[in-house]
Amino acid sequence: MHHLSSTRLNCPHLVMCYCLILALGTGARRFHVSAVFSAKAKVAMSRFEPSSSINYEKLHENINIVRRRLNRPLTLSEKIVYGHLDDPAGQEIDRGRTYLRLRPDRVGMQDATAQMAMLQFISSGLPKVAVPSTIHCDHLIEAQIGGAQDLQRAKEVNQEVYNFLATAAAKYGVGFWKPGSGIIHQIILENYAYPGVMLIGTDSHTPNGGGLGGICIGVGGADAVDVMAGIPWELKCPKVIGVRLTGTLSGWTSPKDVILKVAGILTVKGGTGAIVEYHGPGVDSISCTGMATICNMGAEIGATTSVFPYNHRMKTYLEKTGRGEIGSLADQFKDDLVPDKDCEYDQIIEINLSELKPHINGPFTPDLAHPVSEVGAIAKKSGWPLEVKVGLIGSCTNSSYEDMGRAASLAKQALDKGLKCKAQFTVTPGSEQIRATIERDGYAKILRDVGGVVLANACGPCIGQWDRKDVKKGEKNTIVTSFNRNFTARNDANPATHAFVTSPEIVTALALAGTLNFNPETDYLTTPNGEKFKLEAPTGDELPSRDFDPGQDTYQHPPAESSSVKVDVNPASNRLQLLEPFDKWHGKDLENMRILIKVKGKCTTDHISAAGPWLKFRGHLDNISNNLLIGAVNIENDAVNKVKNQLTGEYGGVPDVARQYKASGVNWVVVGDENYGEGSSREHAALEPRHLGGRAIIVKSFARIHETNLKKQGLLPLTFANPQDYDRIRPDDKISITGLKSLAPGKQLTAEIKHSDGSQESISLNHTFNETQIEWFKAGSALNRMKELQ
């Protein structure tokens, strides 16, 4: 066994940063809360964000420095982002152009991504994290039977990984949320998010925290390592898209419908490089958890994050979750937590909530928006299966108390008429606190009685952790979910499953009806005795009147003294593997590289590094690299995981051919289409091509997080200066990238293309590297560069 112990800091700059920020601890100290909380709740208070660690004065000071410099009104997004600048007086600020150096307040990591993040942090040689950080065990629990059984099985199957994460967290000063505690974003909303916070998380749905007025951004693990190391974190200065809400939500329309509508307007890449900032008089009609739902699914439009202005709904939520002190502090600094009057947005979208109708988006992409009233007719015309096989509610997007209450109100109406769900029905509580509270208040029983199965407090089917048995792979079918993503095969590994995303209320109604061709606002259900009845609009309390039941205490606070803690990684493990540094750039142009695959159409991080059964290898880079691009469509033959080995002329799986190229000393590139790397923040989609010998990814455009992840690992993410040049590249070409010796911000590179018929041509390639990121490339990775600076 390898016993990993801390080593001393050698870089004076890092030592200074580390010592200054370490004083904040893990952000989990006890503080006074309202006496209405039970003794059981107080036991777990150490997990809450303490008001003592929130420095609104510093935020206010930085905002004023920037305001004087820019001499104009500021959006809320700008206030929070610029309020976290490392150098507010000197930082160049130009929305959409300059890179900002920022000091986030804290880091959150889910267990699938935390493995690689902590392995990288261990490799950095630092003894403790420099900012409050937490790990959340939510991704590795497979839905099979029900909550208790599935959780117990997960603890047994994943014991090695959970032990690694628990001991690494204890060793390096990180809070640890045990399996069963809930989904990272719900836990963060309940404990750590607050108005004005800047939080980064190793999951693309980190923007959930924008529902509580924070700038919460999804990143890869290497970015998290930078922040945990006390190094300023880089982000391209975001543009700001304003969504002005008027009117009031009512009836069947829910907060989910707001983002489903916005996704239809902006598409999956329309928010790239921008923060979506909601404002206007309609905001006050949305609950805090409803605002979180809207921000959460903003990841599906490519946005950097989304945010709502501080209001009384947020203060009430803070009070109900034991953080009333923070609400009182926020009141004192409210002007810093709302946009300035007459601030300017780069784009404005107007939505009248009073006119908004329930929506359902899909299949196969989260931006294909349809009003629920029309989806049945569209499905008939398009040949989509009308029968709803399974309805699934919950997930990090829609698992609040209000969500569960509104779904239960519909289930109760059906039960009163003797009716149960025609489709299978699953319920995923967002946290142990939500689970315990809906059990106490009877919602869980109602949902079970109508035919539902209450799953573990975890991601489950939303991320493909679903042992589905009712259909065979390849069988065409329809499911409806309250999740956020519906890419091909995401939920159940079946490419023929037509997955639709909607609100928990609509999922429940469609599960009762058993068909997509059902509009609950106008259509009738039939009871077992033949009676026709129409569901009344759902209702549900925003927050529990009797306060939350915290349930079981599932939080592990890091010990004050951790020198005796051992972090064990067995060299023979097939799930955990210590990292070896990537090779440095050799100082020359990259010549005669092969094309591993020319990807056709949509290529998400699910296509590049599949989840589901592959999640168990997230801590073992070599093993998980066996899923590299196995879901991407090869333009040569319209097949998945079947590419031609240009050295042998034979066809094989993508990772197999990549390994053969690497063994033969042949560098390779991937050629891709628009918005390459859309979806999850998983940095394995960047680590795997680097590990297997890739040097560059050349595409029409990138999703933000994936582009950054590629840079962090020493790869070249490049875009065609002329997108039509994608069509000029043939799968059997050789490509040389020239101009690397003079690589500089804004300076194009050249691709020399050699065709198999002997002809040659040149095309121009763009990149977005800044000076710091160029040093990552030269060093071989950002982690290598960090070590050089120690």
Side-chain angles (χ1 to χ4, degrees), residues 269-290:
K269 62 177 183 175
T272 303
I275 293 175
V276 178
E277 182 173 312
Y278 294 86
H279 62 282
V283 167
D284 286 342
S285 75
I286 305 173
S287 66
C288 179
T289 51

Side-chain angles (χ1 to χ4, degrees), residues 503-519:
S503 67
E505 301 93 307
I506 297 298
V507 171
T508 306
L510 296 183
L512 289 166
T515 176
L516 275 182
N517 193 26
F518 179 74
N519 178 8

Side-chain angles (χ1 to χ4, degrees), residues 346-459:
D346 295 283
Q347 179 181 350
I348 287 280
I349 295 170
E350 301 251 1
I351 296 178
N352 185 336
L353 300 179
S354 300
E355 298 175 356
L356 184 64
K357 288 294 185 180
H359 273 64
I360 182 167
N361 288 20
F364 305 123
T365 185
D367 59 350
L368 186 57
H370 322 281
V372 171
S373 59
E374 300 175 11
V375 73
I378 296 170
K380 287 180 182 178
K381 183 178 178 182
S382 304
W384 304 333
L386 284 174
E387 181 189 2
V388 173
K389 288 283 191 181
V390 192
L392 306 98
I393 66 169
S395 84
C396 65
T397 316
N398 276 111
S399 55
S400 69
Y401 185 81
E402 181 181 39
D403 289 328
M404 296 299 172
R406 285 170 66 88
S409 76
L410 297 174
K412 181 68 165 57
Q413 293 179 52
L415 287 170
D416 288 345
K417 296 289 186 178
L419 193 66
K420 291 192 175 186
C421 290
K422 289 186 177 178
Q424 291 185 40
F425 188 48
T426 71
V427 179
T428 306
S431 68
E432 170 61 10
Q433 181 165 269
I434 294 295
R435 183 208 62 77
T437 306
I438 66 171
E439 286 286 359
R440 181 198 69 191
D441 293 351
Y443 292 166
K445 183 178 188 304
I446 292 169
L447 294 170
R448 278 194 289 262
D449 287 349
V450 85
V453 174
V454 179
L455 300 174
N457 316 319
C459 300

Side-chain angles (χ1 to χ4, degrees), residues 175-423:
F176 181 70
W177 288 84
K178 301 172 187 176
S181 58
I183 305 172
I184 176 173
H185 311 303
Q186 184 70 28
I187 296 290
I188 285 175
L189 198 73
E190 293 173 353
N191 297 274
Y192 303 122
Y194 59 84
V197 71
M198 174 171 275
L199 179 151
I200 71 164
T202 59
D203 190 279
S204 57
H205 293 103
T206 301
N208 192 79
L212 202 43
I215 292 294
C216 303
I217 302 175
V219 299
D223 275 348
V225 171
D226 279 357
V227 178
M228 290 191 292
I231 297 172
W233 174 62
E234 284 198 338
L235 176 73
K236 181 173 273 190
C237 188
K239 294 183 177 181
V240 187
I241 298 172
V243 179
R244 186 171 188 271
L245 303 178
T246 59
T248 304
L249 282 179
S250 63
W252 282 91
T253 307
S254 73
K256 185 67 163 280
D257 297 305
V258 176
I259 185 58
L260 294 175
K261 178 72 172 179
V262 171
I265 295 168
L266 287 176
T267 77
V268 289
K269 62 177 183 175
T272 303
I275 293 175
V276 178
E277 182 173 312
Y278 294 86
H279 62 282
V283 167
D284 286 342
S285 75
I286 305 173
S287 66
C288 179
T289 51
M291 290 186 265
T293 290
I294 294 167
C295 291
N296 176 295
M297 200 176 154
E300 271 42 82
I301 57 174
T304 301
T305 192
S306 301
V307 68
F308 276 83
Y310 177 63
N311 68 359
H312 71 281
R313 291 291 187 92
M314 295 182 189
K315 185 175 183 181
T316 300
Y317 185 79
L318 286 167
E319 291 169 349
K320 280 286 189 179
T321 52
R323 296 172 291 165
E325 281 190 4
I326 296 176
S328 298
L329 278 174
D331 283 343
Q332 297 174 40
F333 291 88
K334 185 171 183 180
D335 287 347
D336 294 329
L337 305 174
V338 297
D340 287 341
K341 185 180 179 182
D342 299 324
C343 64
E344 293 187 5
Y345 296 100
D346 295 283
Q347 179 181 350
I348 287 280
I349 295 170
E350 301 251 1
I351 296 178
N352 185 336
L353 300 179
S354 300
E355 298 175 356
L356 184 64
K357 288 294 185 180
H359 273 64
I360 182 167
N361 288 20
F364 305 123
T365 185
D367 59 350
L368 186 57
H370 322 281
V372 171
S373 59
E374 300 175 11
V375 73
I378 296 170
K380 287 180 182 178
K381 183 178 178 182
S382 304
W384 304 333
L386 284 174
E387 181 189 2
V388 173
K389 288 283 191 181
V390 192
L392 306 98
I393 66 169
S395 84
C396 65
T397 316
N398 276 111
S399 55
S400 69
Y401 185 81
E402 181 181 39
D403 289 328
M404 296 299 172
R406 285 170 66 88
S409 76
L410 297 174
K412 181 68 165 57
Q413 293 179 52
L415 287 170
D416 288 345
K417 296 289 186 178
L419 193 66
K420 291 192 175 186
C421 290
K422 289 186 177 178

Side-chain angles (χ1 to χ4, degrees), residues 690-768:
R690 183 73 164 96
H691 176 63
L692 294 186
R695 294 294 174 181
I697 312 293
I698 307 171
V699 301
K700 293 180 182 178
S701 64
F702 284 103
R704 174 190 63 86
I705 300 176
H706 186 60
E707 182 181 24
T708 300
N709 286 347
L710 291 168
K711 292 177 183 177
K712 286 279 186 179
Q713 303 306 335
L715 280 150
L716 289 168
L718 306 171
T719 55
F720 296 105
N722 177 3
Q724 293 179 340
D725 286 343
Y726 168 89
D727 298 319
R728 298 167 67 178
I729 294 181
R730 307 167 193 169
D732 58 354
D733 286 342
K734 291 182 179 179
I735 293 181
S736 298
I737 296 175
T738 64
L740 290 175
K741 289 182 180 180
S742 57
L743 179 62
K747 185 177 180 181
Q748 288 183 330
L749 295 171
T750 299
E752 304 286 352
I753 306 168
K754 295 180 181 176
H755 300 304
S756 58
D757 61 10
S759 61
Q760 299 186 28
E761 54 185 317
S762 298
I763 61 173
S764 296
L765 301 174
N766 294 329
H767 66 84
T768 60

Side-chain angles (χ1 to χ4, degrees), residues 611-644:
W614 292 94
L615 284 170
K616 61 178 172 286
F617 297 125
R618 285 283 182 88
H620 196 293
L621 180 55
D622 193 57
N623 281 347
I624 199 169
S625 293
N626 288 323
N627 75 1
L628 175 65
L629 286 158
I630 61 174
V633 177
N634 180 7
I635 199 169
E636 181 185 13
N637 53 15
D638 281 336
V640 296
N641 202 27
K642 186 178 181 181
V643 296
K644 188 174 184 179

